[in-house]
């Protein structure tokens, strides 16, 4: 049975996207293909809200993050990294993988990072090579204040890398206005396409930083300069260094056209309405969301499970009995305590949220019955 995906990526995709994914394989070079590729990059620029270069890396979102960090830095340099969940930790691990010294800026799990803490870290480390933070920390559904954080980095001349893997296309984000230097996303979340591609947007300033460090060791595939070089030298024919995942690009082009035809704002409004509906519904069942309403993430909701119930049980029940795929918690103290419902794709609607709520209600009833039986047995 294929189940309805209500996880924070991958998302169920629209029919037009599937058709492209299932179409004939074509050559990844030549003027016709180059036109399709460049059109897709143009659509991405609109979603990133940037005039900067966009490259479409073949790989997952983490590949794009790896490319961003590795391209901007040399081993031994320092990186300020925001840590308030699983994906912040991953950013730090990527930095460590490149031999960087990580200056952590922490917030408790479930709470947003604070711009003031970044200001302090920048003052204490004026020579830092990069500042990196996650926009929507998918492990907890917490939105970090990237506008303030990025503007601090920009003021101090520190390049800012943002992990927008789970936010771009479903949460307000404006790369140029917010002064983000490298913004990374992935095809399989709010962009509404299958997994496999990592769109990366790179500011002029980020290129200047890369070009000012010719001695750094950064490999080839994930060196963004390699992607720029091919776009420049082979632009008319083959504007990327490797065999492009052509069907994935066609699928992404279709999903981006749908996103832009609906309008970013309208999508975000729709997701926000779904988030409110879900919050209202879980509260009616006696459950509480992890984040307060004024900090809701439009595309993802984390909810505390009932006292003394491992939320893995809820996740398994919804899948086995109702064909609904939601996620459990990630991270110390939250694994087993929360469950997460993704509403980040165009295929998710009110009926799906209502189905999740009905299934949760059924779970709670059964759980209540089991408890009653158990206490009878004790008595
Ligand atoms: C999903 C996700 C990632 C990882 O993306 P992959 O495509 O699995 O590499 C990174 N950061 C955030 C915030 C995510 O939600």
């Amino acid at each position: 049975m294929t189940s309805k995906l209500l996880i924070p990526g991958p998302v169920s995709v629209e029919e037009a996207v599937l058709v492209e994914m299932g179409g004939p394989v074509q050559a990844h070079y030549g003027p016709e293909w180059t036109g399709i590729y460049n059109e897709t990059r143009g659509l991405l620029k609109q979603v990133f809200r940037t005039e900067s270069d966009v490259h479409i890396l073949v790989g997952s979102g983490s590949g794009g993050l790896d490319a961003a960090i590795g391209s901007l830095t040399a081993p031994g340099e320092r990186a300020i990294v925001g840590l308030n969940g699983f994906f912040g930790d991953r950013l730090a691990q990527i930095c460590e993988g490149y031999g960087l010294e990580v200056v952590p800026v922490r917030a408790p799990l479930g709470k947003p990072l604070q711009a003031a803490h970044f200001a302090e870290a920048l003052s204490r480390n004026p020579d830092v090579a990069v500042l990196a933070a996650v926009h929507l920390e998918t492990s907890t559904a917490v939105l970090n204040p990237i506008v303030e954080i990025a503007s601090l980095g920009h003021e101090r001349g520190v390049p800012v890398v943002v992990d927008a893997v789970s936010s771009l296309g479903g949460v307000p984000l404006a790369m140029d206005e917010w002064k983000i230097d490298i913004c990374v996303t992935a095809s399989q979340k709010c962009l509404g396409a299958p997994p496999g591609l990592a769109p990366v947007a790179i500011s002029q300033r980020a290129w200047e930083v890369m070009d000012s460090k010719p001695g750094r060791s950064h490999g080839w595939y994930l060196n963004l300069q390699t992607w720029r070089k091919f776009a420049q030298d082979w632009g008319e024919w083959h504007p990327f260094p490797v065999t492009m995942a052509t069907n994935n690009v066609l699928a992404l082009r279709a999903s981006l056209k749908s996103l832009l035809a609906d309008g970013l704002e309208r999508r975000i409004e729709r997701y926000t309405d779904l988030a409110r509906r879900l919050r209202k519904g879980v509260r009616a069942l006696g459950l509480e969301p992890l984040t307060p309403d004024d900090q809701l993430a439009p595309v993802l909701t984390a909810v505390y499970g009932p006292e003394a119930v491992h939320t893995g049980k809820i996740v398994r029940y919804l899948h086995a009995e109702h064909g609904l795929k939601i996620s459990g918690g990630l991270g110390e103290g939250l694994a087993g305590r929360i469950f997460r419902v993704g509403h980040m794709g165009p295929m998710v609607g009110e009926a799906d949220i209502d189905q999740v709520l009905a299934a949760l209600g059924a779970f709670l009833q059964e759980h209540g019955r089991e408890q009653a039986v158990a206490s009878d047995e004790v008595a």
Side-chain angles (χ1 to χ4, degrees):
M1 178 179 66
T2 51
S3 41
K4 184 103 205 177
L5 293 183
L6 293 152
I7 53 179
V11 300
S12 299
V13 306
E14 292 169 294
E15 182 62 26
V17 176
L18 277 183
V19 166
E20 295 291 355
M21 205 61 198
V25 173
Q26 55 180 291
H28 65 289
Y29 51 81
E32 196 190 334
W33 173 257
T34 298
I36 292 170
Y37 181 75
N38 287 335
E39 181 191 352
T40 310
R41 294 207 293 176
L43 297 170
L44 282 165
K45 282 189 188 194
Q46 293 180 51
V47 180
F48 277 111
R49 298 200 189 280
T50 189
E51 301 290 322
S52 295
D53 295 339
V54 172
H55 291 280
I56 306 174
L57 273 56
V58 180
S60 83
S62 304
L65 293 166
D66 206 306
I69 300 290
S71 300
L72 281 172
T73 60
E77 290 184 323
R78 251 176 286 173
I80 293 178
V81 183
L83 301 179
N84 61 339
F86 181 86
F87 290 107
D89 289 346
R90 175 170 298 185
L91 265 183
Q93 280 160 19
I94 291 171
C95 290
E96 283 163 2
Y98 280 104
L100 304 178
E101 186 192 324
V102 171
V103 177
V105 171
R106 296 179 199 278
L109 279 190
K111 300 279 183 243
L113 298 167
Q114 289 186 36
H117 296 165
F118 282 88
E120 284 164 29
L122 283 161
S123 300
R124 277 186 278 112
N125 302 275
D127 58 343
V128 74
V130 68
L131 185 162
V134 177
H135 187 200
L136 171 55
E137 177 47 79
T138 318
S139 64
T140 55
V142 167
L143 271 173
N144 288 316
I146 293 298
V147 195
E148 286 90 5
I149 294 169
S151 111
L152 284 167
H154 183 78
E155 277 168 25
R156 315 277 172 113
V158 177
V160 175
V161 172
V162 171
D163 171 350
V165 172
S166 60
S167 55
L168 189 79
V171 177
L173 186 155
M175 163 149 175
D176 290 358
E177 201 186 309
W178 292 12
K179 316 279 188 217
I180 297 169
D181 290 293
I182 302 189
C183 192
V184 178
T185 194
S187 48
Q188 77 274 16
K189 298 194 184 181
C190 308
L191 298 184
L197 298 174
V200 180
I202 304 127
S203 74
Q204 187 52 40
R205 159 108 187 109
W207 290 125
E208 285 162 14
V209 171
M210 287 179 231
D211 293 341
S212 70
K213 296 182 187 178
R216 78 195 197 287
S217 126
H218 42 57
W220 183 83
Y221 191 97
L222 293 182
N223 179 5
L224 292 171
Q225 286 169 312
T226 305
W227 291 74
R228 180 182 58 180
K229 182 165 174 46
F230 278 82
Q232 286 169 349
D233 296 356
W234 287 12
E236 302 299 307
W237 177 249
H238 187 304
F240 34 75
V242 298
T243 307
M244 189 43 62
T246 46
N247 287 69
N248 291 69
V249 171
L250 287 165
L252 178 61
R253 182 179 67 160
S255 70
L256 291 169
K257 279 184 180 168
S258 159
L259 169 58
L260 291 165
D262 280 0
L264 274 161
E265 282 79 14
R266 278 219 4 239
R267 280 265 174 106
I268 293 168
E269 251 171 58
R270 220 173 70 83
Y271 296 145
T272 305
D273 288 345
L274 295 177
R276 292 209 182 99
R277 192 178 188 91
L278 182 57
R279 280 169 177 262
K280 190 164 167 238
V282 295
R283 286 198 177 109
L285 293 170
L287 303 177
E288 199 46 43
L290 181 73
T291 54
D293 288 351
D294 60 359
Q295 289 169 24
L296 71 77
V299 292
L300 176 65
T301 304
V303 181
Y304 285 109
E307 244 358 93
V309 175
H310 192 287
T311 48
K313 200 173 166 189
I314 301 176
V315 172
R316 282 191 299 276
Y317 172 86
L318 259 62
H319 188 219
E321 303 297 327
H322 297 267
L324 300 168
K325 203 137 180 69
I326 64 165
S327 297
L330 274 180
E332 215 173 312
L334 290 179
R337 281 288 295 128
I338 60 166
F339 61 86
R340 295 171 299 146
V341 181
H343 28 89
M344 56 177 57
M347 300 289 282
V348 183
E350 290 182 353
D352 302 301
I353 299 298
D354 293 348
Q355 242 189 313
V356 168
L357 290 168
L360 285 171
F363 173 87
L364 291 172
Q365 253 190 354
E366 276 190 32
H367 176 71
R369 262 201 301 276
E370 280 170 26
Q371 295 259 298
V373 170
S375 59
D376 277 356
E377 280 164 3
V378 171

